[in-house]
Amino acid sequence: MAAKKSSTAKTSPKRSSSSKKTVSRKTSKTTAAKASGATNPHPAPVLPAWHVAPDSTKAWKRLEKLAKKGASMDLRQSFAKDRARGRKFAFEALGMHLDYSKNLIDGEILDALFALASECGVAKHAKAMFAGNHINVTEDRAVLHVALRAPKGATIKVDGHNVVPDVHEVLERMERFATSVRSGSWRGHTGKRIRTVVNIGIGGSDLGPVMAYEALKDFTERGIECRYISNIDGEDFYEKTRDLNPEETLFVVSSKTFTTIETMTNAQSARAWALAKLKDPAAVAKHFVAVSTNAAEVSKFGIDTANMFGFWDWVGGRYSMDSAIGLSTMVAIGPENFRELLAGFHDMDEHFRTAPPKKNLPYLLALIGIWNRDFLGCETVAVLPYCQYLHRLSAYFQQLEMESNGKRVQLDGTPCRWQTSPVIWGEPGTNGQHAFYQMIHQGTSPVPCDLIAFAKPLHEIGGGDAKSPSHHDILLANIFAQGEALAFGKTPAEVRAEGTPEWLVPHRTFPGNRPTNTLLCEKLSPRMLGRIIALYEHKVFVQGSIWRVNSFDQWGVELGKVLAKRIIPELVGAAPKPSHDGSTQGLIARYRAWRAR
Ligand code: G6Q
């Protein structure tokens, strides 16, 4: 959160005075407390000259002109005219095949999109990120999730300090801990083995770990279950703990700041729940560990900082699943698989950093997204994984994209004159086909889709000979069919030719020309998951660079939190004097009345 800052954890790198900055400032001295909220002390950034507004570029103007052509493009004709189109607009790297040919693009449009990225200095911005410059200008921080997966010998400096050894030190501590839980050498207070690990965290401290746990279930130690409590709603806590034995339960309290009300309230309830059975406060040491940047708050809670796993202020919450926030993931899949996950992230980091934009998966996805959003006016994007293991992926990307790029002002505070993040949503296929695809095929607003699948299943069920398809063959037939149907539709003439009565023809016609990307990967594995997540992280980066927003802050979540804090005592104490608007006041009064009955 923007208002949250780390106090210095044991593992936090020290800042040196040789700070390298993307932006120049009068002073580099920023204290954590001051940097939050209204008294933010750092002066306005002076942006590098290459960080230009997209609509000031030649490419943007060209794209505006090309928009008409894009909007009236007919994919049937485009494919008929150019037999190589499917091959031309596809790219493969790292066991991932991205087919973007079913978008309303052609060579000229793509050239203009690449020119846009170049005029907007995306590569320079990326270089600044990898170099540890403070590209998160509103919080005066480096943005270095890429350091979390850098190999041991690498050097990535933040303010003159190489953070890679710090990262590996934490990783090694995590590994020792995860191994002890998995092997049973870590015992609960009464000597029993840990059977359930409950991660308590929210937002960036929850969505990644849940998504990864579900995605990599097949790689988990099945004798240990992971559960995730995030919501302040006590019903989440109740349902996730009701059948657990505190003697066999380990809580991982995951909070960068260790001040988030939901997490701290759930952690306190967990402590009370555990101690109700375990009685002895010393049991906390065996049943609670923390993942945080805030050592002081962790020890105030009663967790020994020896059982705390740190990370750093240059890791944003939604970019933290591969930091110590992934501790529950590591316990579940084991250190070796976790290293593979990190290696997958790193594969994509290197691809993004070194491949030319035209052969660069994050650039391709990002630029097509910009085309759909800013020039074709698409307001939402559906992420549709054809893989049940990825059933939390859309929710994860929702935060990644919408919290990063859901901004209305540029880095310099002036309004964006263009559209930024679309709404991201989705569910796995084929389930979605029986629910909301109707609208995607025939609704009034086109919804670009990212269709994601794996060629090889983790479990082959059914099939076995050419005549009987397996579950997986049917699944994949569906993803390919959807892309085909969305692109090419069904014309009125085709509908009529089936003998459909004239009055029904419009109902049974599919307009087609609905954009899709298909990302076909070889096989789901920890490494492949890392690649997929990093692909979207860097896609978000490219888009944020072009939109000239700060993809790494989230001031928009602050106001509601402040107001909630003010309302809490008004719900439980003596009736407050009216101090809100008529609507809010009325709701508070109704709540109090019903609670009092
Ligand atoms: C993510 C956001 C946000 C954050 C949560 C939890 O980028 O900053 O989702 O992760 O608010 O914050 P804590 O980890 O500090 O509890």
Side-chain angles (χ1 to χ4, degrees), residues 184 186-194 245 247-248 277 287:
W186 180 285
R187 297 267 157 173
H189 188 60
T190 58
K192 293 202 168 148
R193 271 186 87 137
I194 299 300
N245 176 0
E247 293 173 283
E248 299 176 336
K277 173 140 188 199
H287 294 272

Side-chain angles (χ1 to χ4, degrees), residues 340-415:
E340 275 290 292
L341 178 72
L342 296 183
F345 273 98
H346 183 67
D347 293 339
M348 186 54 72
D349 294 343
E350 284 305 284
H351 169 72
F352 175 55
R353 200 174 62 77
T354 59
K358 289 188 178 171
K359 295 183 172 177
N360 192 307
L361 291 167
Y363 271 88
L364 287 164
L365 268 189
L367 292 174
I368 286 163
I370 296 239
W371 172 245
N372 287 335
R373 180 78 182 110
D374 289 287
F375 300 97
L376 300 183
C378 301
E379 291 182 345
T380 85
V381 170
V383 177
L384 308 168
Y386 276 65
C387 172
Q388 191 57 29
Y389 282 123
L390 295 189
H391 71 106
R392 295 292 295 164
L393 189 71
S394 313
Y396 178 78
F397 285 162
Q398 200 166 60
Q399 180 188 33
L400 182 64
E401 300 213 14
M402 293 169 73
E403 202 167 56
S404 296
N405 287 339
K407 312 279 161 72
R408 52 178 274 287
V409 295
Q410 303 177 53
L411 290 167
D412 61 7
T414 57

Side-chain angles (χ1 to χ4, degrees), residues 1 4 202-205 254-258 260 263 316-318 399 403 554:
M1 292 294 121
K4 300 169 183 174
I202 196 164
S205 300
S254 297
S255 174
K256 181 170 167 180
T257 55
F258 232 69
T260 305
T263 301
R318 55 193 174 276
Q399 180 188 33
E403 202 167 56
Q554 55 283 313

